[in-house]
Amino acid sequence: MRKRQKILAKSAIGVAVLIMGIWNGIGQRRWTERMSLHERKDQIKCQMESQRKDASMNMELTETEKDILKKISVDTSAIEQGLLLTWQKALIWDMREAIAMLEEAYPSHTFQIVDAADNRMDTGTESTFWFVADGKTKRYVLYRTEKEGAWAIRDTFFGTLLSDPYERALLFWLQKKVPECVGCHAFFDCAVGEAYTETSLRAVVQALLTGKDTLANFTELYVDGTNCGDPKALAGQLEREIRRQGIYGAYEIAVLLQRPEETAVHAETDGKGTTAYAEAGEEEAQIYVKIDGEEATAHLEEVGGYTHIEAGMERKAETEQTSETDIEKEKVESKDKELKLKEKEQRNIIKYIDENRNNKRRVWSYTFSCFT
């Protein structure tokens, strides 16, 4: 009996050890999978530092690295051979670290460094790199600073990713307070640190809109004030809401005072169709015409500064009995059409404000800042 108990006890201990081993393995895998971005960046730093120490004076360079060094160096033949001075080697390693960190922070994008500057002193160093993203021409800046053995990277690319979601969220919030606000443009050109990444965009937007974070930005607000007697009242209401929420930034409010004139249309007909030319007004217009007492549709096209309109016959179909499904479908389509028309109207207002900012009879502007 005791022998059997000992066997069972050993079996239980063995099973427990096995379970603990499996559990520890799962836990270790989960910990690895959840390794923070900060830790992965530390790994990149360690790998690069190790390569720096092991590298000889001769370095294999990419064509991009050669081109950048040639811009700021004299001995181009030595660069072609990879025979670099100490500061040149340091700059190349800084550049490689910069690219690795950008790819880690923004995995959905590709980067290429196009220019560099080096500032090395006894108290610390700072390398500055200008880079482009996703094959486009717009330049961004990355700063790599090092002091007392510790280094950090800041870049201006994050602001480009942030602008669109921030604009949509800010406009949605503002329209609840001031429905006359029809659009906004936000510009973030500040250099941010390693905490700001592609995966943190949503959290950053929420933090900015609740006043819990501050990033330097300039935001333009577009307001339709054509149905309001006092544009200052609309601007004041927007400013109060932004200050109450503590949304950091510098602002310009542009209020539309007068809509474009009605479009003047002159039509000619040759018996086959109708051609009309609009002399003034908005870029897009909706025109209803009749030919021989029947409805026609108008097609608009920009031609030499005029709006070219061709109308063709479109007979009405006889009214038929429709099902409830068809009625619901029509309601949905009607709402979608109404929403699209509203969005188009808002885009037209924004465009018209931008075109008439210097015309004080049509656009009134007001600036303020919220830095507290």
Side-chain angles (χ1 to χ4, degrees):
M1 186 67 179
R2 290 182 180 177
K3 185 177 181 181
R4 184 180 178 185
Q5 289 177 344
K6 289 182 179 179
I7 293 173
L8 290 174
K10 289 181 180 180
S11 300
I13 293 171
V15 171
V17 170
L18 179 62
I19 292 173
M20 288 177 66
I22 295 172
W23 180 256
N24 288 336
I26 294 173
Q28 181 65 33
R29 187 172 70 252
R30 286 180 177 175
W31 173 258
T32 303
E33 290 172 352
R34 295 179 182 179
M35 185 179 295
S36 68
L37 178 61
H38 181 72
E39 290 170 327
R40 292 199 298 273
K41 288 184 176 181
D42 284 343
Q43 286 184 349
I44 293 173
K45 292 178 183 180
C46 292
Q47 290 171 2
M48 290 295 180
E49 289 298 330
S50 175
Q51 292 175 14
R52 280 177 191 263
K53 294 176 182 178
D54 295 340
S56 62
M57 183 62 71
N58 188 286
M59 291 183 68
E60 291 187 10
L61 302 174
T62 66
E63 291 302 316
T64 299
E65 291 170 344
K66 290 178 183 179
D67 291 340
I68 290 173
L69 284 179
K70 287 176 182 179
K71 291 179 182 180
I72 55 178
S73 305
V74 177
D75 192 348
T76 58
S77 60
I79 292 172
E80 283 292 340
Q81 299 175 54
L83 299 174
L84 307 183
L85 301 174
T86 302
W87 71 267
Q88 292 172 327
K89 284 181 58 182
L91 184 65
I92 291 300
W93 284 116
D94 288 354
M95 183 164 61
R96 292 176 181 178
E97 288 171 356
I99 285 292
M101 298 294 273
L102 285 172
E103 292 173 347
E104 185 68 35
Y106 312 107
S108 299
H109 302 270
T110 58
F111 304 95
Q112 181 183 356
I113 291 178
V114 294
D115 209 345
D118 191 44
N119 183 20
R120 299 184 180 273
M121 301 171 290
D122 294 336
T123 55
T125 66
E126 179 173 276
S127 298
T128 304
F129 301 99
W130 289 265
F131 65 95
V132 295
D134 303 321
K136 298 180 181 179
T137 58
K138 181 179 178 180
R139 289 191 173 197
Y140 305 93
V141 188
L142 181 145
Y143 305 96
R144 182 202 183 274
T145 56
E146 183 175 352
K147 192 170 183 179
E148 297 179 355
W151 60 275
I153 281 182
R154 297 174 294 122
D155 69 82
T156 61
F157 182 68
F158 182 78
T160 294
L161 302 184
L162 179 63
S163 291
D164 183 62
Y166 178 79
E167 288 170 358
R168 286 187 277 108
L170 177 62
L171 181 61
F172 181 77
W173 181 79
L174 285 174
Q175 286 182 332
K176 291 181 178 180
K177 312 292 183 179
V178 185
E180 292 85 355
C181 185
V182 297
C184 69
H185 290 157
F187 305 90
F188 293 87
D189 59 356
C190 55
V192 297
E194 299 171 14
Y196 297 90
T197 65
E198 188 174 345
T199 56
S200 70
L201 279 171
R202 181 178 295 182
V204 172
V205 169
Q206 290 301 316
L208 289 172
L209 294 183
T210 54
K212 296 178 181 178
D213 198 355
T214 58
L215 289 179
N217 70 89
F218 173 69
T219 300
E220 297 176 324
L221 302 177
Y222 296 82
V223 181
D224 181 7
T226 54
N227 295 322
C228 175
D230 185 7
K232 295 181 181 180
L234 288 175
Q237 188 177 356
L238 282 170
E239 181 180 3
R240 285 192 299 273
E241 295 296 341
I242 289 171
R243 289 189 182 282
R244 184 180 296 116
Q245 193 74 359
I247 305 177
Y248 190 90
Y251 297 87
E252 179 178 10
I253 302 174
V255 184
L256 180 64
L257 304 177
Q258 179 184 347
R259 285 179 179 268
E261 295 86 351
E262 293 294 331
T263 304
V265 178
H266 303 279
E268 298 176 358
T269 180
D270 56 5
K272 297 180 181 179
T274 298
T275 302
Y277 296 89
E279 292 183 337
E282 298 182 66
E283 180 182 349
E284 299 182 10
Q286 189 171 5
I287 297 177
Y288 301 92
V289 297
K290 284 190 176 182
I291 302 175
D292 297 332
E294 296 184 353
E295 289 190 357
T297 56
H299 305 279
L300 283 70
E301 180 184 2
E302 282 292 320
V303 179
Y306 293 91
T307 303
H308 180 237
I309 306 166
E310 292 185 353
M313 303 287 287
E314 191 175 271
R315 297 181 179 274
K316 277 187 175 180
E318 293 183 3
T319 305
E320 298 179 356
Q321 187 175 1
T322 56
S323 64
E324 291 183 4
T325 304
D326 292 334
I327 293 173
E328 290 299 321
K329 184 179 179 181
E330 288 178 3
K331 287 182 179 179
V332 173
E333 290 176 350
S334 177
K335 288 182 179 179
D336 290 341
K337 185 177 180 180
E338 184 179 348
L339 180 60
K340 289 179 180 178
L341 287 174
K342 183 178 179 181
E343 290 175 349
K344 183 183 291 185
E345 181 183 12
Q346 291 178 346
R347 289 195 300 269
N348 286 338
I349 290 173
I350 292 171
K351 181 179 179 181
Y352 192 70
I353 288 175
D354 284 336
E355 291 174 349
N356 293 270
R357 281 186 179 274
N358 296 327
N359 189 333
K360 294 183 179 180
R361 293 189 302 106
R362 295 183 175 179
V363 177
W364 179 82
S365 297
Y366 172 71
T367 60
F368 72 97
S369 58
C370 181
F371 296 144
T372 56

